[in-house]
């Protein structure tokens, strides 16, 4: 671990399935797994032209871009700690939180940190269980991992195997984390087209899991078109070995071979065809969910968690290439959707791409009940241009809970971590940032913050290449959030931040 009590500060200049009981997980190293469109199976290094390399070096010399690996941040952010990757050496992915623990996904498995002292996090366990992208969440004594790469079987010792083989496996894995130092793999559920991401809808006796996956093919026995919905898994808390798919609600009904979602190319050039969803966010206190579904954004009612009902659906066939994720504000009258232009492996935070692509789209929710509509208001994108050797695009973030304000922290891969205010839907603005200089000036090398979330007074970021970062935000606009304490946080299951924090 590297402690950073006195980091260098330099402000940047802005420039124009079957259940599997008792399965064993190990702590040894393993080879890489894969998933799309998020980085993992894409080349980690791609040569760039000589002119691009020269321009990157010139921008660094001018001070427009930090030196390679140099840390820069706004005056109101302090970098407290960094823990590099260790046993799990592949790509870092998502984060979840519970009490004094942070759970960090990695394409090789997952890692548990004790964050009781945010300035000095300690590794509690590292569990090898390859299967991209190992999207992660926790509920009570259960931990859930998504597998979206075709595997030889459902064990943690599986190897890659073509999806054209019927015996291949993809889906959800369930661990018992009663003993944080020794998690036990207790169940596996196969799902159609695997599980790229997942979202929990917890109840007292059961946990429902909404599984997002996409890209079916007639050649894949377990991923057949049309794949126009999500898998719903029911997990009994006291008997997780009985976990099973209970529904596959269709979200995009239609008569075409891919259902009724966005047709994508060639009808809508540059837009992904909707063949499933990438990620869902639920707001249980309002019985609402928002879906980022490749070529579509949707709003739906989850009063009955086994039968979600679509309320509204929107498209942006001008500026949105791939609807990636969604975040509600606390009052549930806004949704922020992200566009993962370039799949997370491209340089899109530059003057050529501009401010409206690879950005966030802010939508107001107008009306009541089943008449609610998503109304576009504006885009938000970091205006700190990155080098053309840096993958950068809008990615995972969470609310910073301040009453009367809509504040968010968000990962931008090598664009770093951005804190921004969208209280005025039409005029979002950045109020803080943290980033590193490019990993390379000669190659486009994938890295940067995959997820950046606010939890109990601190920002935690899982950097794909550099490891686990802890940041402290000191700003009068965000300071009230320090009073909000949560027992558990899965960002895609948004809490009612103020229900138990009345003081």
């Amino acid at each position: 671990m590297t402690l950073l009590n006195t980091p260098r500060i330099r402000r940047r200049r802005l420039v124009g399935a079957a259940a599997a009981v008792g399965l064993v997980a190990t702590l040894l190293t393993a080879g890489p797994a894969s998933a799309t469109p998020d980085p993992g199976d894409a080349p980690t290094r791609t040569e760039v032209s000589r002119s691009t390399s020269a321009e990157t070096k010139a921008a660094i010399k001018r001070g427009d871009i930090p030196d390679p690996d140099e840390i820069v941040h706004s005056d109101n952010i302090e970098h407290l700690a960094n823990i590099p990757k260790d046993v799990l050496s592949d790509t870092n992915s998502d984060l979840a939180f519970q009490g004094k623990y942070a759970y960090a996904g990695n394409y090789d498995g997952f890692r548990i940190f004790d964050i009781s002292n945010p300035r000095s996090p300690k590794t509690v366990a590292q569990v090898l269980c390859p299967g991209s992208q190992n999207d992660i969440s926790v509920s009570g004594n259960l931990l859930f991992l998504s597998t979206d790469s075709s595997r030889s079987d459902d064990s943690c010792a599986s190897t890659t195997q073509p999806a054209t083989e019927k015996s291949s496996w993809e889906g959800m894995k369930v661990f018992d984390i009663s003993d944080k130092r020794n998690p036990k793999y207790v169940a596996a559920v196969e799902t159609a087209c695997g599980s790229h991401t997942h979202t929990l809808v917890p109840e007292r006796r059961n946990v429902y899991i909404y599984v997002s996956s996409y890209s079916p093919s007639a050649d894949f026995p377990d991923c057949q078109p049309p794949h126009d919905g999500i898998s719903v898994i029911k997990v009994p808390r006291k008997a997780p070995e009985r976990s099973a798919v209970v529904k596959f609600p269709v979200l995009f009904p239609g008569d075409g071979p891919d259902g009724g979602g966005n047709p994508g190319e060639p009808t809508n050039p540059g837009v992904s065809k909707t063949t499933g969803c990438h990620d869902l966010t639920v707001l249980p206190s309002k019985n609402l969910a928002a879906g980022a579904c490749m070529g579509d954004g949707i709003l739906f009612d989850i009063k009955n968690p086994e039968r979600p009902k679509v309320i509204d659906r929107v498209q942006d066939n001008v500026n949105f290439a791939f609807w990636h994720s969604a975040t509600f504000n606390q009052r549930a009258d806004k949704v922020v959707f992200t566009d993962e232009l370039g799949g997370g492996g491209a340089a899109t935070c530059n003057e050529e791409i501009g401010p409206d692509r690879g950005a966030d789209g802010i939508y107001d929710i107008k009306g009541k009940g089943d008449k609610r509509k998503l109304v576009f208001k504006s885009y938000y994108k970091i205006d700190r241009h990155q080098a053309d050797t840096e993958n950068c695009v809008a990615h995972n973030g969470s609310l910073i809970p301040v009453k009367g304000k809509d504040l968010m922290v968000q990962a931008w891969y090598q664009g770093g971590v951005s804190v921004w205010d969208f209280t005025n839907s039409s005029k979002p603005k950045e109020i803080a940032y943290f980033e590193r200089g490019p990993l390379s000036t000669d190659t486009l090398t994938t890295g940067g913050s995959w997820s950046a979330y606010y939890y109990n007074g601190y920002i935690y970021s899982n950097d794909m290449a550099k490891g686990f970062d802890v940041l402290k935000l000191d700003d009068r606009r965000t300071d009230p959030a320090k009073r909000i304490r949560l027992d558990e946080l899965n960002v895609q299951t948004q809490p009612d931040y103020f229900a138990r924090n009345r003081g």
Side-chain angles (χ1 to χ4, degrees), residues 130-312:
S132 63
Q133 54 192 19
N134 278 334
D135 195 44
I136 192 167
S137 59
V138 292
S139 183
N141 288 326
L142 299 177
L143 179 146
F144 306 92
L145 280 183
S146 286
T147 299
D148 191 35
S149 59
S150 187
R151 313 295 299 178
S152 57
D153 56 54
D154 61 9
S155 77
C156 284
S158 67
T159 57
T160 57
Q161 181 170 289
T164 52
E165 295 187 24
K166 176 62 179 170
S167 63
S168 296
W169 185 91
E170 300 179 64
M172 288 298 308
K173 294 169 181 166
V174 184
F175 288 78
D176 185 320
I177 52 170
S178 303
D179 180 354
K180 303 296 186 291
R181 296 187 178 277
N182 186 31
K184 291 182 170 60
Y185 182 9
V186 297
V189 182
E190 187 170 16
T191 55
C193 300
S195 174
H196 193 69
T197 65
H198 69 270
T199 303
L200 303 188
V201 186
E203 293 186 331
R204 182 173 296 178
R205 295 183 179 179
N206 305 295
V207 179
Y208 285 97
I209 307 175
Y210 288 170
V211 176
S212 297
S213 54
Y214 50 91
S215 295
S217 170
D219 296 328
F220 300 161
D222 298 318
C223 184
Q224 292 284 299
H227 185 70
D228 48 11
I230 57 174
S231 297
V232 179
I233 297 174
K234 184 177 181 179
V235 182
R237 290 188 184 275
K238 294 186 177 180
E241 68 277 3
R242 289 166 43 202
S243 302
V245 175
V246 292
K247 294 289 180 184
F248 187 88
V250 173
L251 303 178
F252 302 97
D255 298 329
D258 297 308
N262 196 319
E265 299 274 6
T267 304
N268 297 316
V271 177
S272 295
K273 177 168 66 174
T274 298
T275 59
C277 290
H278 179 276
D279 209 349
L280 309 177
T281 293
V282 298
L283 189 56
S285 63
K286 306 290 187 182
N287 289 318
L288 277 179
C293 302
M294 304 181 73
D296 295 88
I298 59 173
L299 182 70
F300 53 104
D301 185 299
I302 58 167
K303 263 182 211 168
N304 183 337
E306 293 188 18
R307 293 180 173 83
K309 180 174 67 172
V310 175
I311 297 172
D312 194 26

Side-chain angles (χ1 to χ4, degrees), residues 9-16 55 57-66 70 72-74 349 382-387 430 433 435:
I9 299 174
R10 177 159 72 84
R11 294 190 62 84
R12 287 200 46 176
R13 292 191 301 182
L14 302 183
V15 295
E55 172 52 32
K57 292 172 183 175
I60 291 172
K61 190 173 182 179
R62 292 193 303 269
D64 295 337
I65 293 170
E70 180 188 5
V72 296
H73 54 80
S74 53
C349 298
I382 59 172
D383 57 3
R384 291 168 285 109
H385 286 173
Q386 306 295 304
E430 184 172 76
Y433 70 88
E435 67 166 292

